[in-house]
């Protein structure tokens, strides 16, 4: 059965080939006028400069951690840590970085092309932006499958590891590098994009009363750069980590459940089927001219739902042939259906075609305070649907896979449900990554003076992008909760092998209870650090924009150009400075907790951070998405339209929501999984050295 490993390479080749073809297709479109080309080049230059600085900073941290892992692995002869893990840590980080980088490169090459295409028709603008998103989506899944397949071959056929349990436990540790890079990319990019966005909105739209993306605003280029480094490069690294993490966790659970090599190969086969089905679904994403938001949403849903349906059909014979267990197939269906359901309810709470966001826009009639209160209430309420969906998926997949007969069989069902949920990530991520491209296209249309009709089309695509971005984040955090549970079980299994006595994981154990509290605290402190980082970086942008309006004569009359470069430099400096603290928090706290409270305390921490992190992430992402679309709902002509008092109140709400939905919220799902993988990798150290327990 292990000889079927080649299926992973086939899937990787199909995904990467499709991404390459889509990128070639995008590049055939025109970038428009000379002015559009110049603006796009400035955005591209800023994004490249930021990523160069970010990768240089992260490389130093990676080197330190690599050396620590190297010492742990070789000084103990591999007893404390597999000697392959330090090198897998590096490769995971490199692949994760590459996934984000490729996505950013195509996004910055597609923004002006999307604006130009939108000047011809709405459908053409949608197709160009979606094709750009497809490059990101299929690059992520292609590189993910390639990484997993290469390491499987190295461990199984080069190193000669013939025990599935040993190989599964080593493989699950390989996700740490991807999680590590994803957190830095998501946090750093999120700080950059929201610092620029908040600064541009507060001074430009609220104080100066000029339109969004007005060329007179010094922070506009930085804002557009931020869309790419945060919502594209950061998101690519984030979902690469989710995709790889879910498959690796299921590898370990398959071995624990006694399925052997078949339990490991099945997740790979499901992922490859998902790639093919996502490619088919992508051809059904199209719309008509003058389409409503509901019609545009239906266009994207058609592609994603079709891909999920095809995957469900393909998974049936695969599961039966590999395992002969229809219960595991039901678990896979739970993941597929659960992912679609989370996407639907995320759309319901964040799209302005539904009542929640429309009612939120109504709250602007009484000022910014009431729209902020309404947004917080909406976000809190929205957690119920996602949590109940995941809870149902966990219970059904556990018992369907045989949990009542064997606890380990049930846990494999939960892990394979996470793989099912992420199997169509190629098209799901394409619908998400398309959003920042559409947003940039709107900015370029405004700055280059294209007709109002073009801006209306790009605004429609941008508003849709806000909803699909929220859907993507809901999808990521939903799968993260299932993957985190699988990783928690892997951690307990690995620690139990190294500990002679049985671990007491009952809630009445004080070490477990304290660990739960620390995990819950970590969610809130991490969120505080990331929110504070945006506040600090945004303040410097606000002051700089005010200074330029005050000191550079002729900006408001179009007689002088703003100093865009200074805002780009400030955002770069602020993001790199502020991203380190929250990222290191996710690494240091689990290790310190383990060294003090022991393995049981860490298990409690993982439980606490998983539950609270899931709820907080859904709340923040949905509240932020609703605030943003409430603003766009008003801008479309409701409640007085642009420039009205309602619009000003909505801009303030959107500004509050920016770090919610693009910095803190999406970073929490990485926090959950990074804590788990760090705990697994350092489990040998924690078992050997701890004060209590």
């Amino acid at each position: 059965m292990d000889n079927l490993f080649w299926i992973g390479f086939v899937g990787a080749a199909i995904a990467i080939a499709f991404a390459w073809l889509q990128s070639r297709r995008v590049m055939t479109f025109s970038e428009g006028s000379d002015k559009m080309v110049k603006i796009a080049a400035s955005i591209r230059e800023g994004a490249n400069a930021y990523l160069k600085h970010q990768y240089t900073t992260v490389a130093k941290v990676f080197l330190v951690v690599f050396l620590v892992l190297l010492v742990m692995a070789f000084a103990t002869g591999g007893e404390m840590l597999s000697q392959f893990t330090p090198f897998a840590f590096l490769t995971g980080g490199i692949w994760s970085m590459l996934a984000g980088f490729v996505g950013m490169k195509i996004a910055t090459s597609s923004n002006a092309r999307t604006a130009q295409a939108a000047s011809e028709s709405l459908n053409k603008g949608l197709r160009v932006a979606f094709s750009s998103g497809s490059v990101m989506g299929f690059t992520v899944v292609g590189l993910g499958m390639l990484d997993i397949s290469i390491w499987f071959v190295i461990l199984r056929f080069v190193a000669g590891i013939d025990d599935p349990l040993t190989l599964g436990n080593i493989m699950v540790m390989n996700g740490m590098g991807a999680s590590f890079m994803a957190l830095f990319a998501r946090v750093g990019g999120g700080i950059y994009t929201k610092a620029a966005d908040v600064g541009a909105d507060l001074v430009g739209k609220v104080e100066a009363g000029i339109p969004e993306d007005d060329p007179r605003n010094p922070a506009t280029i930085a804002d557009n750069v931020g869309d790419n480094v945060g919502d594209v490069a950061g998101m690519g690294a984030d979902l690469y980590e989710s995709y790889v993490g879910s498959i690796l966790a299921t590898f370990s659970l398959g071995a624990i459940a006694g399925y052997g090599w078949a339990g490991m190969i099945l997740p790979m086969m499901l992922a490859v089927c998902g790639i093919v089905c996502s490619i088919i679904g992508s051809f059904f994403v199209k719309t008509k001219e003058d389409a409503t938001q509901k019609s545009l949403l239906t266009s994207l849903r058609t592609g994603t739902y079709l891909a999920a349906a095809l995957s469900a059909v393909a998974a049936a014979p695969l599961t039966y042939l590999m395992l002969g267990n229809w219960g595991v197939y039901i678990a896979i269906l739970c993941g597929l259906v659960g992912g679609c359901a989370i996407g639907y309810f995320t759309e319901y709470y964040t799209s302005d075609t539904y009542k929640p966001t429309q009612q939120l826009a109504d709250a602007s009639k009484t000022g910014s305070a009431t729209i902020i209160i309404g947004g917080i209430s909406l976000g809190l309420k929205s957690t119920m649907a996602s949590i109940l969906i995941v809870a149902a998926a966990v219970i059904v997949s556990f018992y369907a896979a045989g949990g009542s007969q064997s606890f380990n069989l049930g846990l494999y069902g939960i892990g394979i449900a996470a793989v099912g949920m992420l199997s169509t990530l190629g098209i799901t991520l394409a619908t998400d990554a398309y959003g920042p491209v559409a947003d940039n296209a709107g900015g370029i249309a405004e700055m280059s003076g294209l007709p109002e009709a073009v801006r209306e089309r790009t605004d429609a695509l941008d508003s849709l992008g806000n909803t699909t971005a929220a859907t993507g984040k809901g999808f990521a955090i939903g799968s993260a909760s299932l993957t985190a549970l699988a990783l928690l079980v892997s951690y307990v299994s690995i620690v139990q092998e190294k500990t002679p006595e049985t671990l007491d994981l009952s809630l009445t154990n004080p070490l477990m209870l304290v660990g739960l509290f620390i995990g819950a605290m970590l969610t809130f402190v991490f969120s505080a650090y990331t929110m504070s980082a945006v506040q600090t970086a945004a303040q410097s942008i606000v002051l700089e924009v005010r200074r330029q309006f005050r000191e550079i004569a002729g900006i408001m009359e179009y007689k002088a150009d703003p100093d865009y470069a200074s805002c780009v430099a400030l955002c770069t400096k602020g993001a790199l400075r502020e991203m380190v603290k929250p990222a290191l928090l996710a690494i240091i706290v689990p290790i310190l907790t383990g060294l003090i409270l022991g393995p049981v305390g860490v298990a409690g921490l993982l439980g606490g951070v998983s539950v609270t992190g899931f709820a907080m992430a859904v709340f923040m992402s949905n509240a932020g998405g609703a605030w943003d679309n409430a603003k766009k709902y008003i801008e479309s002509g409701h409640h007085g339209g642009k420039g009205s008092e309602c619009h000003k109140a909505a801009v303030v709400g959107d500004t509050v929501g920016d770090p919610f939905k693009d910095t803190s919220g999406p970073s929490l799902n990485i926090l959950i999984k990074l804590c788990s993988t760090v705990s697994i990798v350092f489990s040998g150290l924690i078992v050997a050295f701890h004060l209590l327990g």
Side-chain angles (χ1 to χ4, degrees):
M1 191 65 73
D2 55 330
N3 288 324
L4 290 172
F5 71 89
W6 54 266
I7 197 71
F9 290 108
V10 171
I14 292 171
I16 293 170
F18 184 71
W20 179 77
L21 289 172
Q22 289 293 89
S23 68
R24 290 290 300 271
R25 180 174 182 271
V26 168
M27 298 304 285
T28 61
F29 291 96
S30 169
E31 276 195 288
S33 66
D34 290 342
K35 191 169 186 179
M36 293 169 69
V37 172
K38 183 180 178 182
I39 294 167
S42 297
I43 295 169
R44 194 156 46 243
E45 182 182 344
N48 286 332
Y50 170 75
L51 287 187
K52 181 180 178 182
H53 286 299
Q54 184 191 60
Y55 293 156
T56 302
T57 303
V58 174
K60 296 172 185 175
V61 182
F62 257 80
L63 181 60
V64 172
V65 176
F66 172 71
L67 292 175
V68 170
L69 296 177
L70 212 58
V71 170
M72 286 177 59
F74 286 89
T76 61
E79 290 185 12
M80 190 174 287
L81 185 69
S82 165
Q83 294 178 347
F84 294 100
T85 300
F87 303 99
F89 168 75
L90 281 184
T91 59
I94 291 168
W95 288 118
S96 179
M97 175 200 73
L98 187 59
F101 181 75
V102 169
M104 187 277 295
K105 292 293 284 186
I106 189 64
T108 54
S109 297
S110 306
N111 44 22
R113 290 178 166 86
T114 300
Q116 178 62 24
S119 69
E120 299 174 37
S121 74
L122 181 64
N123 183 55
K124 195 169 183 180
L126 173 66
R127 288 303 309 176
V128 174
F130 182 76
S131 294
S132 169
S134 297
V135 177
M136 160 69 93
F138 288 94
T139 297
V140 165
V141 296
L143 291 179
M145 286 307 300
L146 187 61
D147 184 25
I148 292 168
S149 301
I150 288 172
W151 273 106
F152 186 88
V153 169
I154 290 173
L155 294 174
R156 176 68 187 93
F157 298 106
V158 178
I161 298 174
D162 55 7
D163 176 27
L165 184 59
T166 302
L167 188 142
N169 287 342
I170 294 173
M171 287 288 282
V172 80
M173 296 183 189
N174 291 2
M176 180 175 159
S179 297
F180 207 81
M181 183 65 225
L183 190 62
F184 275 103
R186 198 43 135 158
V187 171
I191 294 168
Y192 186 113
T193 184
K194 293 305 109 181
D197 200 355
V198 169
D201 282 356
L202 284 180
V203 186
K205 292 167 73 173
V206 178
E207 295 181 9
I210 58 178
E212 186 172 8
D213 299 313
D214 192 294
R216 293 171 290 180
N217 192 328
T220 50
I221 294 294
D223 185 10
N224 283 287
V225 169
D227 291 335
N228 292 288
V229 300
D231 296 338
V232 178
M235 177 183 60
D238 174 359
L239 286 169
Y240 174 89
E241 178 259 355
S242 295
Y243 187 72
V244 170
S246 67
I247 296 173
L248 294 180
T250 310
F251 268 25
S252 178
L253 292 178
I256 294 169
Y259 282 126
W261 300 118
M264 294 184 180
I265 298 297
L266 179 59
M268 295 175 71
M269 286 193 159
L270 289 175
V272 174
C273 274
I275 289 170
V276 175
C277 295
S278 294
I279 290 173
I280 295 170
S282 69
F283 290 109
F284 288 83
V285 177
K286 51 190 173 183
T287 190
K288 297 177 181 178
E289 197 60 31
D290 300 322
T292 63
Q293 276 296 301
K294 198 164 187 177
S295 299
L296 287 169
L297 269 174
T298 301
S299 300
L300 293 183
R301 276 186 192 160
T302 300
T304 53
Y305 287 177
L306 178 62
L310 291 174
S311 291
V313 172
L318 275 179
T319 307
Y320 185 75
L321 290 172
M322 295 292 291
L323 302 181
N325 186 335
W326 286 112
V328 173
Y329 174 64
I330 293 173
I332 295 167
L333 285 183
C334 283
L336 283 165
V337 173
C340 291
I342 288 173
Y344 172 77
F345 280 104
T346 304
E347 288 174 8
Y348 175 75
Y349 281 107
T350 59
S351 172
D352 64 14
T353 59
Y354 297 102
K355 281 188 177 180
T357 298
Q358 292 176 2
Q359 291 172 345
L360 182 61
D362 291 342
S364 65
K365 295 174 183 177
T366 48
S368 54
T370 47
I371 200 170
I372 290 171
I373 293 169
I376 291 172
S377 171
L378 181 151
L380 291 170
K381 194 188 303 178
S382 72
T383 61
M384 181 173 68
S386 294
I387 288 173
L388 290 178
I389 290 166
V390 168
V394 167
I395 291 172
V396 174
S397 59
F398 179 84
Y399 285 105
S404 57
Q405 304 164 8
S406 166
F407 188 70
N408 291 333
L409 288 176
L411 292 174
Y412 181 75
I414 295 172
I416 205 74
V419 176
M421 188 178 285
L422 285 169
S423 62
T424 56
L425 182 64
I427 190 167
T428 305
L429 183 50
T431 62
D432 192 347
Y434 126 94
V437 176
D439 192 358
N440 265 208
I444 291 172
E446 180 77 38
M447 285 185 278
S448 58
L450 293 181
E452 185 64 27
V454 179
R455 185 63 208 243
E456 288 174 4
R457 289 171 186 159
T458 57
D459 278 351
L461 295 175
D462 184 19
S463 183
L464 176 65
N466 287 329
T467 303
T468 57
T471 303
K473 288 161 191 165
F475 206 78
I477 191 60
S479 64
S481 61
L482 295 176
T483 304
L485 182 54
L487 289 170
L488 172 58
V489 174
S490 296
Y491 165 78
V492 172
S493 173
I494 290 168
V495 168
Q496 192 64 75
E497 282 186 12
K498 301 174 181 177
T499 309
E501 64 272 4
T502 303
L503 296 176
D504 179 9
L505 299 177
S506 64
L507 286 176
T508 53
N509 184 339
L511 298 176
M512 184 73 172
L513 195 57
V514 171
L516 283 167
F517 279 123
I518 292 173
M521 171 212 70
L522 182 57
T523 295
F524 287 88
V525 173
F526 178 85
S527 299
Y529 270 121
T530 49
M531 292 284 288
S532 176
V534 172
Q535 171 216 328
T536 303
Q539 283 177 321
S540 65
I541 299 300
V542 168
L543 294 174
E544 173 61 19
V545 175
R546 284 175 178 167
R547 181 194 69 78
Q548 292 196 33
F549 280 158
R550 185 175 62 249
E551 297 180 6
I552 302 178
I555 284 184
M556 298 306 288
E557 295 79 26
Y558 297 99
K559 294 178 181 177
D561 291 331
D563 180 6
Y564 300 119
S566 64
C567 289
V568 172
L570 276 174
C571 283
T572 300
K573 182 179 178 183
L576 293 175
R577 182 181 65 247
E578 299 292 336
M579 75 177 182
V580 177
K581 284 182 185 177
L584 291 180
L585 195 69
I587 301 160
I588 293 170
V589 171
I591 296 173
L592 285 180
T593 301
L595 293 176
I596 296 171
L597 300 180
V600 172
V602 174
L605 178 145
L606 297 181
V609 76
S610 297
V611 172
T612 57
F614 177 31
M616 180 76 91
V618 174
F619 154 62
M620 287 185 150
S621 294
N622 288 351
W627 271 317
D628 198 344
N629 277 337
K631 176 197 71 175
K632 285 185 166 54
Y633 182 72
I634 293 171
E635 288 175 345
S636 66
H638 299 84
H639 307 312
K642 292 182 180 180
S644 65
E645 291 302 313
C646 288
H647 182 234
K648 290 179 181 178
V651 169
V652 174
D654 177 38
T655 304
V656 174
D658 276 337
F660 269 49
K661 68 182 175 67
D662 290 324
T663 309
S664 300
S667 298
L668 283 167
N669 68 315
I670 310 173
L671 171 74
I672 293 169
K673 288 174 289 183
L674 182 57
C675 284
S676 299
T677 52
V678 165
S679 300
I680 289 171
V681 169
F682 287 92
S683 59
L685 179 68
I686 291 167
V687 169
F689 306 100
H690 57 271
L691 293 177
L692 304 174

